[in-house]
Amino acid sequence: NAGVTQTPKFQVLKTGQSMTLQCAQDMNHEYMSWYRQDPGMGLRLIHYSVGAGITDQGEVPNGYNVSRSTTEDFPLRLLSAAPSQTSVYFCASVRDRSHEQYFGPGTRLTVT
Amino acid sequence: GDSVTQMEGPVTLSEEAFLTINCTYTATGYPSLFWYVQYPGEGLQLLLKATKADDKGSNKGFEATYRKETTSFHLEKGSVQVSDSAVYFCALKTGGGNKLTFGTGTQLKVEL
């Protein structure tokens, strides 16, 4: 089991560029989510998905898109990067009924 | 809405000292409560959890008791080690979904 994997680990973008952060899990978890982590603010939920084909917005969705075409993959797209999106991004998946969320190692994104 | 308040860090202790990290919450209904730990350069890992009032979660020498009357879930360890140096996040989940609300995190540094 690889668990939750994220790529890339580090990324630098210029303002206005777009990119996709990849997230995959091999645990057959239905629920997946994306968080951003900023100093002094903990983790904030961006988008989540309760299963393939179903996504919904979290606390801070603006500037991000997601899709869930398979159970395994949950990519996060930045449409037009802004310096305010400089952050560490974590993907997580959860095993129903156990309440334990499994987190990926994170992607550190810098937008200049 | 739901919220979690943690003591600000960093907390610096000597090895074998007693640790308390305070966590209080505001939530509708009856939340499940969690402590997650983030070691340097890694994603978050579940440390312990409690799903109802007066439950005590424990793992790796850490403990936390769900106190409904004081809306608290303080993390304690009797004797910390250098390897416990990490950021600790208190979190809650309400309702039937899987959305977590995180505190801002408390950095713990343990020195020899």
Side-chain angles (χ1 to χ4, degrees):
Chain A
N1 259 356
V4 180
T5 58
Q6 291 183 239
T7 55
K9 294 193 91 166
F10 302 94
Q11 183 71 48
V12 179
L13 291 178
K14 294 188 188 312
T15 297
Q17 288 184 315
S18 62
M19 79 158 294
T20 299
L21 308 185
Q22 301 293 343
C23 173
Q25 52 92 9
D26 60 358
M27 298 173 283
N28 203 33
H29 289 174
E30 291 295 325
Y31 184 94
M32 297 183 72
S33 53
W34 276 101
Y35 295 87
R36 57 178 290 172
Q37 182 182 26
D38 301 294
M41 303 190 75
L43 277 76
R44 293 180 292 168
L45 183 65
I46 304 171
H47 285 286
Y48 66 97
S49 168
V50 299
I54 306 169
T55 63
D56 206 346
Q57 297 181 349
E59 184 185 352
V60 288
N62 292 342
Y64 307 95
N65 270 0
V66 291
S67 60
R68 184 95 180 272
S69 56
T70 66
T71 298
E72 294 77 21
D73 300 298
F74 191 43
L76 178 73
R77 297 183 187 84
L78 280 70
L79 308 172
S80 177
S84 61
Q85 293 178 306
T86 293
S87 187
V88 181
Y89 292 85
F90 289 100
C91 179
S93 71
V94 67
R95 185 175 66 196
D96 285 341
R97 300 181 184 276
S98 76
H99 308 293
E100 178 174 358
Q101 295 217 9
Y102 292 83
F103 283 80
T107 295
R108 184 173 294 274
L109 175 68
T110 302
V111 183
T112 62
Chain B
D2 298 342
S3 66
V4 176
T5 302
Q6 286 182 238
M7 58 189 291
E8 288 200 20
V11 173
T12 303
L13 295 173
S14 299
E15 202 170 44
E16 298 184 2
F18 185 86
L19 168 71
T20 300
I21 299 178
N22 291 338
C23 170
T24 57
Y25 66 89
T26 302
T28 53
Y30 301 96
S32 296
L33 301 173
F34 307 85
W35 277 100
Y36 279 83
V37 58
Q38 183 181 29
Y39 297 105
E42 299 183 10
L44 280 72
Q45 305 171 27
L46 179 66
L47 180 59
L48 54 84
K49 67 181 181 186
T51 57
K52 60 183 188 298
D54 300 324
D55 268 3
K56 178 186 282 188
S58 62
N59 186 25
K60 300 182 181 180
F62 291 89
E63 293 183 341
T65 301
Y66 188 141
R67 301 284 188 203
K68 185 167 177 288
E69 63 277 11
T70 54
T71 61
S72 64
F73 193 54
H74 304 321
L75 183 68
E76 296 182 335
K77 187 176 186 184
S79 176
V80 294
Q81 306 299 312
V82 171
S83 57
D84 294 326
S85 298
V87 180
Y88 292 82
F89 291 91
C90 186
L92 66 82
K93 186 178 81 70
T94 56
N98 289 298
K99 285 189 272 188
L100 287 169
T101 299
F102 284 90
T104 54
T106 302
Q107 184 174 15
L108 170 66
K109 298 179 182 178
V110 181
E111 301 172 336
L112 290 171

Short mmCIF file of all heavy atoms in Angstrom, two decimals, chain A residues 9 31 35 37 40-43 45 48 57 90 94-106, chain B residues 32 34 36 38 41-46 49 51 87 89 93 95 97-105:
data_model
loop_
_atom_site.label_atom_id
_atom_site.label_comp_id
_atom_site.label_asym_id
_atom_site.label_seq_id
_atom_site.Cartn_x
_atom_site.Cartn_y
_atom_site.Cartn_z
N LYS A 9 6.29 17.49 -5.20
CA LYS A 9 6.56 17.86 -3.80
C LYS A 9 6.76 19.37 -3.68
O LYS A 9 6.40 19.96 -2.66
CB LYS A 9 7.80 17.14 -3.27
CG LYS A 9 7.65 15.65 -3.16
CD LYS A 9 8.78 15.04 -2.36
CE LYS A 9 8.43 14.96 -0.89
NZ LYS A 9 9.35 14.10 -0.14
N TYR A 31 -14.05 8.83 0.23
CA TYR A 31 -13.99 10.26 0.54
C TYR A 31 -12.56 10.76 0.40
O TYR A 31 -11.63 10.20 0.98
CB TYR A 31 -14.48 10.49 1.98
CG TYR A 31 -14.56 11.94 2.39
CD1 TYR A 31 -15.75 12.65 2.27
CD2 TYR A 31 -13.45 12.61 2.92
CE1 TYR A 31 -15.84 13.98 2.66
CE2 TYR A 31 -13.53 13.93 3.30
CZ TYR A 31 -14.72 14.62 3.17
OH TYR A 31 -14.80 15.93 3.56
N TYR A 35 -6.74 20.19 1.39
CA TYR A 35 -6.57 21.24 2.37
C TYR A 35 -5.38 22.10 1.97
O TYR A 35 -4.45 21.63 1.34
CB TYR A 35 -6.27 20.66 3.76
CG TYR A 35 -7.36 19.85 4.39
CD1 TYR A 35 -7.48 18.49 4.15
CD2 TYR A 35 -8.26 20.45 5.28
CE1 TYR A 35 -8.49 17.74 4.75
CE2 TYR A 35 -9.26 19.70 5.89
CZ TYR A 35 -9.36 18.36 5.62
OH TYR A 35 -10.35 17.62 6.23
N GLN A 37 -2.49 24.57 4.01
CA GLN A 37 -1.95 24.86 5.33
C GLN A 37 -1.15 26.14 5.27
O GLN A 37 -0.17 26.24 4.52
CB GLN A 37 -1.06 23.71 5.82
CG GLN A 37 -0.50 23.94 7.21
CD GLN A 37 0.43 22.82 7.66
OE1 GLN A 37 1.04 22.13 6.84
NE2 GLN A 37 0.53 22.62 8.96
N GLY A 40 -0.23 29.93 11.14
CA GLY A 40 -1.19 30.56 12.04
C GLY A 40 -2.64 30.32 11.70
O GLY A 40 -3.53 30.85 12.36
N MET A 41 -2.90 29.51 10.67
CA MET A 41 -4.29 29.28 10.27
C MET A 41 -4.67 27.81 10.22
O MET A 41 -5.78 27.48 9.85
CB MET A 41 -4.55 29.92 8.90
CG MET A 41 -4.24 31.39 8.86
SD MET A 41 -4.79 32.20 7.38
CE MET A 41 -6.54 32.28 7.68
N GLY A 42 -3.78 26.94 10.58
CA GLY A 42 -4.12 25.52 10.56
C GLY A 42 -4.37 25.04 9.14
O GLY A 42 -3.84 25.58 8.17
N LEU A 43 -5.22 24.04 9.01
CA LEU A 43 -5.59 23.50 7.71
C LEU A 43 -7.00 23.93 7.37
O LEU A 43 -7.90 23.84 8.21
CB LEU A 43 -5.53 21.97 7.71
CG LEU A 43 -4.16 21.34 7.49
CD1 LEU A 43 -3.31 21.45 8.74
CD2 LEU A 43 -4.31 19.90 7.05
N LEU A 45 -10.16 23.54 4.49
CA LEU A 45 -10.67 22.66 3.46
C LEU A 45 -10.96 23.43 2.18
O LEU A 45 -11.69 24.43 2.20
CB LEU A 45 -11.94 21.97 3.97
CG LEU A 45 -12.60 20.95 3.07
CD1 LEU A 45 -11.69 19.75 2.86
CD2 LEU A 45 -13.94 20.50 3.67
N TYR A 48 -13.83 18.83 -1.55
CA TYR A 48 -13.86 17.44 -1.15
C TYR A 48 -14.75 16.65 -2.10
O TYR A 48 -15.52 17.22 -2.89
CB TYR A 48 -14.33 17.29 0.30
CG TYR A 48 -15.76 17.70 0.57
CD1 TYR A 48 -16.78 16.76 0.60
CD2 TYR A 48 -16.09 19.03 0.80
CE1 TYR A 48 -18.07 17.13 0.85
CE2 TYR A 48 -17.39 19.41 1.05
CZ TYR A 48 -18.38 18.46 1.08
OH TYR A 48 -19.68 18.84 1.33
N GLN A 57 -17.69 22.03 -2.55
CA GLN A 57 -16.78 23.06 -2.08
C GLN A 57 -16.58 22.98 -0.58
O GLN A 57 -17.50 22.65 0.16
CB GLN A 57 -17.32 24.44 -2.45
CG GLN A 57 -17.42 24.68 -3.94
CD GLN A 57 -17.95 26.07 -4.25
OE1 GLN A 57 -18.42 26.78 -3.36
NE2 GLN A 57 -17.86 26.46 -5.51
N PHE A 90 -2.31 19.76 1.09
CA PHE A 90 -2.41 18.36 1.51
C PHE A 90 -3.68 17.74 0.96
O PHE A 90 -4.75 18.32 1.01
CB PHE A 90 -2.44 18.24 3.03
CG PHE A 90 -1.12 18.54 3.69
CD1 PHE A 90 -0.91 19.78 4.27
CD2 PHE A 90 -0.11 17.61 3.70
CE1 PHE A 90 0.30 20.07 4.87
CE2 PHE A 90 1.10 17.89 4.31
CZ PHE A 90 1.32 19.12 4.89
N VAL A 94 -10.29 9.20 3.48
CA VAL A 94 -10.80 8.66 4.74
C VAL A 94 -11.49 7.33 4.51
O VAL A 94 -12.19 7.13 3.51
CB VAL A 94 -11.74 9.67 5.43
CG1 VAL A 94 -13.02 9.86 4.65
CG2 VAL A 94 -12.05 9.22 6.86
N ARG A 95 -11.25 6.45 5.46
CA ARG A 95 -11.90 5.14 5.47
C ARG A 95 -13.20 5.31 6.24
O ARG A 95 -13.22 5.63 7.41
CB ARG A 95 -10.99 4.15 6.18
CG ARG A 95 -11.46 2.73 6.19
CD ARG A 95 -10.39 1.85 6.80
NE ARG A 95 -10.19 2.16 8.21
CZ ARG A 95 -9.12 1.77 8.90
NH1 ARG A 95 -8.17 1.09 8.29
NH2 ARG A 95 -8.99 2.06 10.17
N ASP A 96 -14.32 5.06 5.59
CA ASP A 96 -15.60 5.26 6.24
C ASP A 96 -15.69 4.50 7.55
O ASP A 96 -15.12 3.43 7.69
CB ASP A 96 -16.75 4.81 5.32
CG ASP A 96 -16.97 5.82 4.21
OD1 ASP A 96 -16.53 6.96 4.38
OD2 ASP A 96 -17.57 5.46 3.19
N ARG A 97 -16.39 5.11 8.48
CA ARG A 97 -16.71 4.54 9.78
C ARG A 97 -15.55 4.52 10.76
O ARG A 97 -15.73 4.24 11.93
CB ARG A 97 -17.27 3.11 9.67
CG ARG A 97 -18.54 3.03 8.86
CD ARG A 97 -19.06 1.58 8.80
NE ARG A 97 -20.23 1.48 7.96
CZ ARG A 97 -21.47 1.72 8.34
NH1 ARG A 97 -21.70 2.10 9.58
NH2 ARG A 97 -22.47 1.59 7.51
N SER A 98 -14.34 4.78 10.28
CA SER A 98 -13.22 4.77 11.21
C SER A 98 -12.82 6.16 11.65
O SER A 98 -12.07 6.32 12.60
CB SER A 98 -12.01 4.10 10.59
OG SER A 98 -11.40 4.98 9.67
N HIS A 99 -13.31 7.17 10.92
CA HIS A 99 -13.00 8.57 11.17
C HIS A 99 -11.54 8.95 10.95
O HIS A 99 -11.18 10.07 11.16
CB HIS A 99 -13.38 8.99 12.59
CG HIS A 99 -14.77 8.66 12.97
ND1 HIS A 99 -15.86 9.26 12.38
CD2 HIS A 99 -15.28 7.79 13.85
CE1 HIS A 99 -16.97 8.77 12.91
NE2 HIS A 99 -16.65 7.88 13.80
N GLU A 100 -10.66 8.02 10.60
CA GLU A 100 -9.25 8.37 10.44
C GLU A 100 -9.00 8.85 9.03
O GLU A 100 -9.24 8.14 8.07
CB GLU A 100 -8.35 7.18 10.74
CG GLU A 100 -6.88 7.50 10.53
CD GLU A 100 -5.96 6.38 10.97
OE1 GLU A 100 -6.47 5.38 11.48
OE2 GLU A 100 -4.74 6.53 10.82
N GLN A 101 -8.50 10.07 8.91
CA GLN A 101 -8.11 10.60 7.61
C GLN A 101 -6.63 10.31 7.39
O GLN A 101 -5.80 10.51 8.27
CB GLN A 101 -8.37 12.11 7.52
CG GLN A 101 -9.84 12.44 7.61
CD GLN A 101 -10.26 13.60 6.73
OE1 GLN A 101 -9.49 14.08 5.91
NE2 GLN A 101 -11.49 14.05 6.89
N TYR A 102 -6.30 9.86 6.19
CA TYR A 102 -4.92 9.58 5.81
C TYR A 102 -4.45 10.73 4.92
O TYR A 102 -5.10 11.04 3.92
CB TYR A 102 -4.83 8.26 5.06
CG TYR A 102 -5.11 7.06 5.91
CD1 TYR A 102 -6.42 6.64 6.14
CD2 TYR A 102 -4.08 6.32 6.49
CE1 TYR A 102 -6.70 5.54 6.92
CE2 TYR A 102 -4.35 5.21 7.27
CZ TYR A 102 -5.65 4.83 7.49
OH TYR A 102 -5.93 3.74 8.27
N PHE A 103 -3.34 11.33 5.31
CA PHE A 103 -2.84 12.49 4.58
C PHE A 103 -1.65 12.12 3.71
O PHE A 103 -0.82 11.29 4.07
CB PHE A 103 -2.41 13.58 5.57
CG PHE A 103 -3.56 14.33 6.16
CD1 PHE A 103 -4.28 13.80 7.22
CD2 PHE A 103 -3.93 15.56 5.66
CE1 PHE A 103 -5.36 14.49 7.77
CE2 PHE A 103 -5.01 16.26 6.20
CZ PHE A 103 -5.72 15.72 7.25
N GLY A 104 -1.57 12.79 2.57
CA GLY A 104 -0.39 12.70 1.74
C GLY A 104 0.73 13.56 2.31
O GLY A 104 0.53 14.29 3.28
N PRO A 105 1.92 13.49 1.71
CA PRO A 105 3.09 14.21 2.23
C PRO A 105 3.09 15.71 1.94
O PRO A 105 3.89 16.44 2.49
CB PRO A 105 4.27 13.53 1.53
CG PRO A 105 3.68 13.02 0.26
CD PRO A 105 2.28 12.64 0.56
N GLY A 106 2.18 16.16 1.07
CA GLY A 106 2.07 17.60 0.82
C GLY A 106 2.80 18.06 -0.42
O GLY A 106 3.76 17.44 -0.87
N SER B 32 -16.96 14.50 17.20
CA SER B 32 -15.84 13.62 17.48
C SER B 32 -14.59 14.49 17.51
O SER B 32 -14.48 15.47 16.76
CB SER B 32 -15.70 12.56 16.38
OG SER B 32 -16.82 11.71 16.37
N PHE B 34 -10.21 14.87 17.73
CA PHE B 34 -9.00 14.22 17.25
C PHE B 34 -7.77 15.06 17.61
O PHE B 34 -7.85 16.29 17.70
CB PHE B 34 -9.03 14.09 15.71
CG PHE B 34 -10.26 13.43 15.17
CD1 PHE B 34 -11.41 14.16 14.93
CD2 PHE B 34 -10.26 12.08 14.89
CE1 PHE B 34 -12.55 13.56 14.42
CE2 PHE B 34 -11.39 11.46 14.39
CZ PHE B 34 -12.54 12.21 14.15
N TYR B 36 -4.04 15.27 15.71
CA TYR B 36 -3.15 14.86 14.63
C TYR B 36 -1.76 15.41 14.91
O TYR B 36 -1.60 16.47 15.52
CB TYR B 36 -3.63 15.41 13.28
CG TYR B 36 -4.74 14.60 12.66
CD1 TYR B 36 -6.07 14.79 13.04
CD2 TYR B 36 -4.47 13.64 11.69
CE1 TYR B 36 -7.09 14.05 12.46
CE2 TYR B 36 -5.49 12.90 11.10
CZ TYR B 36 -6.78 13.11 11.49
OH TYR B 36 -7.79 12.36 10.93
N GLN B 38 2.09 16.27 13.07
CA GLN B 38 2.83 16.49 11.81
C GLN B 38 4.31 16.58 12.13
O GLN B 38 4.77 17.57 12.71
CB GLN B 38 2.33 17.76 11.12
CG GLN B 38 2.99 18.01 9.78
CD GLN B 38 2.50 19.29 9.13
OE1 GLN B 38 2.13 20.25 9.79
NE2 GLN B 38 2.49 19.32 7.81
N GLY B 41 8.42 17.96 7.61
CA GLY B 41 8.46 17.53 6.21
C GLY B 41 7.46 16.46 5.84
O GLY B 41 7.52 15.92 4.73
N GLU B 42 6.55 16.13 6.75
CA GLU B 42 5.60 15.06 6.48
C GLU B 42 4.16 15.57 6.53
O GLU B 42 3.89 16.69 6.95
CB GLU B 42 5.78 13.93 7.49
CG GLU B 42 7.15 13.28 7.45
CD GLU B 42 7.26 12.12 8.41
OE1 GLU B 42 6.23 11.70 8.97
OE2 GLU B 42 8.39 11.65 8.60
N GLY B 43 3.24 14.69 6.11
CA GLY B 43 1.82 14.99 6.24
C GLY B 43 1.34 14.70 7.65
O GLY B 43 2.10 14.26 8.51
N LEU B 44 0.07 14.96 7.90
CA LEU B 44 -0.49 14.74 9.23
C LEU B 44 -0.81 13.27 9.44
O LEU B 44 -1.19 12.55 8.51
CB LEU B 44 -1.79 15.54 9.40
CG LEU B 44 -1.65 17.02 9.71
CD1 LEU B 44 -1.15 17.81 8.52
CD2 LEU B 44 -2.99 17.58 10.18
N GLN B 45 -0.65 12.82 10.69
CA GLN B 45 -1.00 11.45 11.07
C GLN B 45 -1.94 11.52 12.27
O GLN B 45 -1.73 12.35 13.16
CB GLN B 45 0.25 10.66 11.49
CG GLN B 45 1.36 10.60 10.49
CD GLN B 45 2.59 9.98 11.10
OE1 GLN B 45 2.53 9.18 12.03
NE2 GLN B 45 3.75 10.35 10.57
N LEU B 46 -2.92 10.66 12.28
CA LEU B 46 -3.81 10.60 13.43
C LEU B 46 -3.04 10.09 14.64
O LEU B 46 -2.39 9.05 14.60
CB LEU B 46 -4.99 9.68 13.14
CG LEU B 46 -5.99 9.52 14.29
CD1 LEU B 46 -6.70 10.85 14.55
CD2 LEU B 46 -7.00 8.42 13.96
N LYS B 49 -8.03 9.73 19.16
CA LYS B 49 -9.36 10.28 18.93
C LYS B 49 -10.29 9.89 20.08
O LYS B 49 -10.01 8.96 20.84
CB LYS B 49 -9.93 9.77 17.61
CG LYS B 49 -10.24 8.27 17.62
CD LYS B 49 -10.78 7.80 16.28
CE LYS B 49 -11.11 6.31 16.32
NZ LYS B 49 -11.51 5.78 15.00
N THR B 51 -14.76 9.82 20.58
CA THR B 51 -15.99 10.05 19.84
C THR B 51 -17.18 10.43 20.72
O THR B 51 -18.23 10.80 20.19
CB THR B 51 -16.36 8.82 19.01
OG1 THR B 51 -16.47 7.69 19.88
CG2 THR B 51 -15.29 8.55 17.96
N VAL B 87 4.48 19.29 15.13
CA VAL B 87 3.34 20.20 15.28
C VAL B 87 2.11 19.35 15.56
O VAL B 87 1.86 18.36 14.87
CB VAL B 87 3.13 21.05 14.01
CG1 VAL B 87 1.93 21.99 14.21
CG2 VAL B 87 4.37 21.86 13.70
N PHE B 89 -2.04 19.14 16.03
CA PHE B 89 -3.29 19.78 15.63
C PHE B 89 -4.46 19.11 16.33
O PHE B 89 -4.62 17.89 16.28
CB PHE B 89 -3.52 19.64 14.12
CG PHE B 89 -2.58 20.44 13.27
CD1 PHE B 89 -1.39 19.88 12.82
CD2 PHE B 89 -2.88 21.75 12.91
CE1 PHE B 89 -0.52 20.61 12.04
CE2 PHE B 89 -2.01 22.48 12.11
CZ PHE B 89 -0.83 21.91 11.68
N LYS B 93 -14.99 16.85 14.23
CA LYS B 93 -15.87 16.47 13.13
C LYS B 93 -17.29 16.36 13.69
O LYS B 93 -17.49 15.74 14.72
CB LYS B 93 -15.46 15.13 12.53
CG LYS B 93 -16.24 14.73 11.31
CD LYS B 93 -15.73 13.42 10.75
CE LYS B 93 -16.29 12.24 11.49
NZ LYS B 93 -17.73 12.02 11.25
N GLY B 95 -21.58 15.80 12.68
CA GLY B 95 -22.51 15.27 11.69
C GLY B 95 -22.02 13.96 11.10
O GLY B 95 -21.08 13.35 11.57
N GLY B 97 -20.82 13.49 8.05
CA GLY B 97 -19.82 13.57 6.99
C GLY B 97 -18.41 13.36 7.51
O GLY B 97 -18.20 12.85 8.61
N ASN B 98 -17.44 13.76 6.71
CA ASN B 98 -16.04 13.55 7.07
C ASN B 98 -15.23 14.83 7.10
O ASN B 98 -14.01 14.79 7.12
CB ASN B 98 -15.40 12.56 6.10
CG ASN B 98 -15.92 11.15 6.31
OD1 ASN B 98 -15.74 10.58 7.38
ND2 ASN B 98 -16.57 10.61 5.31
N LYS B 99 -15.90 15.97 7.12
CA LYS B 99 -15.18 17.24 7.13
C LYS B 99 -14.60 17.50 8.51
O LYS B 99 -15.30 17.48 9.51
CB LYS B 99 -16.10 18.38 6.71
CG LYS B 99 -16.39 18.41 5.23
CD LYS B 99 -17.12 19.67 4.83
CE LYS B 99 -18.61 19.54 4.95
NZ LYS B 99 -19.31 20.70 4.38
N LEU B 100 -13.29 17.80 8.54
CA LEU B 100 -12.61 18.12 9.78
C LEU B 100 -12.42 19.62 9.90
O LEU B 100 -12.10 20.28 8.92
CB LEU B 100 -11.25 17.45 9.83
CG LEU B 100 -11.21 15.94 10.07
CD1 LEU B 100 -9.82 15.40 9.83
CD2 LEU B 100 -11.68 15.61 11.47
N THR B 101 -12.60 20.13 11.11
CA THR B 101 -12.24 21.52 11.43
C THR B 101 -11.01 21.46 12.32
O THR B 101 -11.04 20.82 13.38
CB THR B 101 -13.39 22.22 12.16
OG1 THR B 101 -14.54 22.23 11.31
CG2 THR B 101 -13.01 23.64 12.51
N PHE B 102 -9.94 22.14 11.87
CA PHE B 102 -8.66 22.08 12.57
C PHE B 102 -8.40 23.34 13.38
O PHE B 102 -8.82 24.44 13.00
CB PHE B 102 -7.52 21.94 11.56
CG PHE B 102 -7.38 20.57 10.96
CD1 PHE B 102 -8.05 20.25 9.79
CD2 PHE B 102 -6.57 19.62 11.55
CE1 PHE B 102 -7.93 18.99 9.24
CE2 PHE B 102 -6.44 18.36 11.00
CZ PHE B 102 -7.12 18.04 9.83
N GLY B 103 -7.66 23.16 14.47
CA GLY B 103 -7.06 24.29 15.15
C GLY B 103 -5.84 24.75 14.37
O GLY B 103 -5.47 24.16 13.35
N THR B 104 -5.18 25.79 14.88
CA THR B 104 -4.05 26.38 14.16
C THR B 104 -2.76 25.62 14.34
O THR B 104 -1.78 25.89 13.66
CB THR B 104 -3.83 27.83 14.62
OG1 THR B 104 -3.69 27.84 16.03
CG2 THR B 104 -4.99 28.72 14.21
N GLY B 105 -2.75 24.64 15.23
CA GLY B 105 -1.54 23.85 15.43
C GLY B 105 -0.66 24.43 16.53
O GLY B 105 -0.60 25.65 16.71
#
